[in-house]
Amino acid sequence: MIYQIYPRSFADSNGDGIGDLPGITAKLEYLSKLGVDAIWLSPFYRSPQADAGYDVADYRDVDPIFGELADFDSMLEKAHALGIRVIVDLVPNHSSDEHAWFQAALKSPAGSPERARYIFRDGRGAEGELPPNNWQSVFGGDAWTRPEGQRQWYLHLFDSKQPDFDWRNPEVLDEFEDVLRFWLDRGVDGFRVDVAHGMIKQKGLPDWDGSQAMVEGGNVGPMWDQDELHDIYRAWRKLLDEYDGDRMMVAEAWVKPQARLARYIRHDEMQQAFNFDYLLARWDANELKEVIDDSLAQSAQVGAPTTWVMSNHDGVRHTSRFGLSQPGARPKGINAAAEQPDEALGLRRARAAIHLTLALPGSAYLYQGEELGLPEHTTMEDRFRQDPAFFRTDGHEVGRDGCRVPLPWIAGAPSYGFGPSEASWLPQPESFARYAADLQERDAESTLSLYRRLLGLRREYGLGEGELEWLQSPRKDVLKLRNGAVTVLLNLGDEPIALPAGKPLAQSVAQPLEGELPGNAAVWLLG
């Protein structure tokens, strides 16, 4: 099981309101007790933080807000001592506009080697006043910016402060191979590759009239999922295979169908790819079953494991999605102007859903705070928002800040124990107090206790390496399956169902089952 840490929001050691590497180090025992096998860290590199670190200015250094390289080394050493592997984020599609390469490009003429590292093009129109094509940014608005006083435009599929590299330039390939070696030599166990489907653009950069989106969409068009990408990953796999310790890569690739995603995890490319079809699946038995079957079938075609993830730093937390009357992905977020989730219902369904996720063969990814049952911050005031998607769409898209709010560790402490002061880079709702880890540590029926119990059983019964068998379901809104010795019953409806024979190992509701499983609940049975 891999646990995603969003460093800005995990734990703050110095009271500046921003999480940091020493804060992560201090919480590693908590993660070890939870039962994680590895942690994945979102970017901590030197960056102006225009997109919370996904705008990298120096790929070989730690940003001072997170600490320094020595802090990373200390964190890595302690994690390894606890048996926890460390996966770091790699952001190869684009850099920050403050990266030394891009600053050199801005000072160099058209056609120069410095500009050739990025995608600069002449504009259209009599004076080149129009963008080179009609591509739109994932964050909203044009995907092209023309620096003041210059004729050429540069491409940025995301924010204007995130210029895209030209991955057909051998100099870019050489640079990133060196970056990979830098972190592998320090001892990291692998890389999560950001926007893995976007680095190569179709030659000629033809116009395309489709829309873009952060979560749903973004998977078709001449800027995504080009065949040449796979040559890059084959080269990287060879590089990783030079190192001891089974180093790995996992792709963030928003592509459909699953057969296209499976191409990223062929035997000589990456080991894993995020299964976003599962993340986006609604609270619907038939839809979940179809996604699971398709995922397992396509992964089996290439001999790779499937991944299961319900939340991450780019989407609405699943506890809140499941609390909607029509629970779906809601990629544009949830805010005060939209339907507000039923917080209790969302948590009840989330506790049930983890019984399904952790029973499936493959690798499970958890997003920090989901083990506490944290909901989305759905009523954050606009004045606090920092996501570039919010600003580039004039607030039409609420952005991703709601899922990135700092964690609550101690209910009665300043910033709920996130740090030693009241400071918090995003405001924490008052409701977070009741989700604090210290309260849940003392409650055997808490969501934290449930996650620990399930993760322990998953390891004990080898469910990650097991095999899924669907069993006859008593109702269309119920899923029943077996993995080895464990039978799982997930009731996605509102009415109770009869409980089959077997010894209960874990259940999502606290009350005794007494022969039936209530609605929006799940149970693991032995036998």
Side-chain angles (χ1 to χ4, degrees), residues 11 196 265 323 391 522:
I265 50 175
F391 298 105

Side-chain angles (χ1 to χ4, degrees), residues 105-106 108-120 150 152:
L106 290 177
S108 302
S112 64
E114 291 81 5
R115 291 214 164 189
R117 297 163 175 163
Y118 294 89
I119 301 177
F120 279 86
Q150 300 198 14
Q152 287 197 315

Side-chain angles (χ1 to χ4, degrees), residues 388-407:
F390 175 77
F391 298 105
R392 289 182 64 87
T393 62
D394 295 324
H396 177 68
E397 292 196 18
V398 72
R400 301 159 293 171
D401 294 317
C403 69
R404 300 176 173 185
V405 176
L407 299 190

Side-chain angles (χ1 to χ4, degrees), residues 432-480:
F432 267 30
R434 61 177 173 268
Y435 293 96
D438 71 320
L439 298 182
Q440 298 202 35
E441 288 272 4
R442 302 191 293 269
D443 180 1
E445 301 300 333
S446 71
T447 304
L448 176 59
S449 296
L450 175 64
Y451 268 68
R452 287 175 175 169
R453 186 157 56 250
L454 290 173
L455 285 166
L457 291 168
R458 176 179 167 87
R459 179 176 287 108
E460 179 181 350
Y461 289 98
L463 302 184
E465 295 81 35
E467 186 172 340
L468 174 65
E469 176 189 0
W470 292 109
L471 304 177
Q472 181 65 41
S473 175
R475 244 177 23 213
K476 66 179 182 180
D477 56 3
V478 174
L479 292 177
K480 188 177 181 182

Side-chain angles (χ1 to χ4, degrees), residues 30 174 254 327 353:
Y30 165 89
D174 291 345
W254 293 93

Side-chain angles (χ1 to χ4, degrees), residues 120-448:
F120 279 86
R121 295 291 185 273
D122 293 336
R124 296 186 289 190
E127 301 295 329
E129 70 277 10
L130 300 176
N133 66 24
N134 67 348
W135 292 5
Q136 295 295 292
S137 163
V138 172
F139 287 161
D142 288 337
W144 295 90
T145 289
R146 189 184 196 185
E148 186 176 355
Q150 300 198 14
R151 285 189 58 86
Q152 287 197 315
W153 301 68
Y154 67 87
L155 178 68
H156 51 89
L157 291 182
F158 294 88
D159 192 65
S160 58
K161 292 184 68 63
Q162 295 169 291
D164 282 34
F165 286 112
D166 186 345
W167 272 90
R168 290 192 174 87
N169 185 333
E171 201 173 345
V172 175
L173 277 77
D174 291 345
E175 169 67 3
F176 273 88
E177 288 196 4
D178 190 74
V179 169
L180 290 172
R181 290 190 185 280
F182 178 86
W183 293 104
L184 290 167
D185 289 343
R186 297 194 90 83
V188 304
D189 299 286
F191 302 91
R192 177 264 189 186
V193 182
D194 184 63
V195 195
H197 60 310
M199 291 142 62
I200 296 287
K201 284 72 173 174
Q202 185 176 323
K203 291 181 178 179
L205 308 180
D207 279 351
W208 185 70
D209 295 324
S211 61
Q212 303 284 9
M214 170 57 66
V215 178
E216 290 187 307
N219 52 15
V220 295
M223 65 290 292
W224 307 117
D225 195 28
Q226 302 297 302
D227 289 343
E228 291 170 75
L229 283 167
H230 300 282
D231 292 335
I232 299 171
Y233 301 137
R234 291 186 185 98
W236 288 3
R237 178 63 178 268
K238 288 180 181 179
L239 190 157
L240 263 66
D241 286 347
E242 295 174 14
Y243 287 80
D244 295 331
D246 195 22
R247 313 298 174 97
M248 64 87 74
M249 294 182 289
V250 55
E252 184 214 26
W254 293 93
V255 301
K256 291 184 178 182
Q258 284 274 347
R260 294 291 298 182
L261 182 64
R263 299 168 78 245
Y264 290 78
I265 50 175
R266 290 175 288 197
H267 73 280
D268 58 350
E269 297 189 44
M270 301 198 197
Q271 287 87 348
Q272 297 182 359
F274 288 127
N275 186 347
F276 293 119
D277 284 354
Y278 188 74
L279 181 147
L280 297 174
R282 296 174 297 167
W283 186 251
D284 179 89
N286 185 61
E287 183 172 338
L288 283 166
K289 185 177 184 300
E290 287 183 354
V291 167
I292 291 168
D293 283 344
D294 190 28
S295 302
L296 291 171
Q298 296 300 333
S299 294
Q301 289 289 326
V302 293
T306 305
T307 64
W308 312 105
V309 56
M310 294 189 290
S311 286
N312 66 18
H313 65 292
D314 282 332
V316 175
R317 284 187 177 272
H318 66 274
T319 45
S320 292
R321 286 191 286 112
F322 289 159
L324 296 167
S325 58
Q326 297 293 326
R330 295 295 174 100
K332 292 185 179 180
I334 305 170
N335 61 20
E339 176 194 356
Q340 284 297 294
D342 181 328
E343 191 169 319
L345 176 62
L347 178 58
R348 183 182 179 96
R349 286 173 167 170
R351 286 170 59 98
I354 192 61
H355 286 72
L356 175 63
T357 298
L358 293 183
L360 298 173
S363 294
Y365 283 77
L366 306 181
Y367 178 46
Q368 65 176 40
E370 78 165 85
E371 78 280 6
L372 304 176
L374 283 187
E376 187 88 353
H377 188 350
T378 60
T379 58
M380 187 184 301
E381 296 179 45
D382 289 351
R383 62 192 177 98
F384 293 116
R385 297 195 178 275
Q386 301 187 32
D387 191 342
F390 175 77
F391 298 105
R392 289 182 64 87
T393 62
D394 295 324
H396 177 68
E397 292 196 18
V398 72
R400 301 159 293 171
D401 294 317
C403 69
R404 300 176 173 185
V405 176
L407 299 190
W409 292 98
I410 304 171
S415 66
Y416 303 124
F418 168 62
S421 73
E422 293 283 2
S424 173
W425 74 280
L426 286 174
Q428 300 159 299
E430 292 182 4
S431 64
F432 267 30
R434 61 177 173 268
Y435 293 96
D438 71 320
L439 298 182
Q440 298 202 35
E441 288 272 4
R442 302 191 293 269
D443 180 1
E445 301 300 333
S446 71
T447 304
L448 176 59

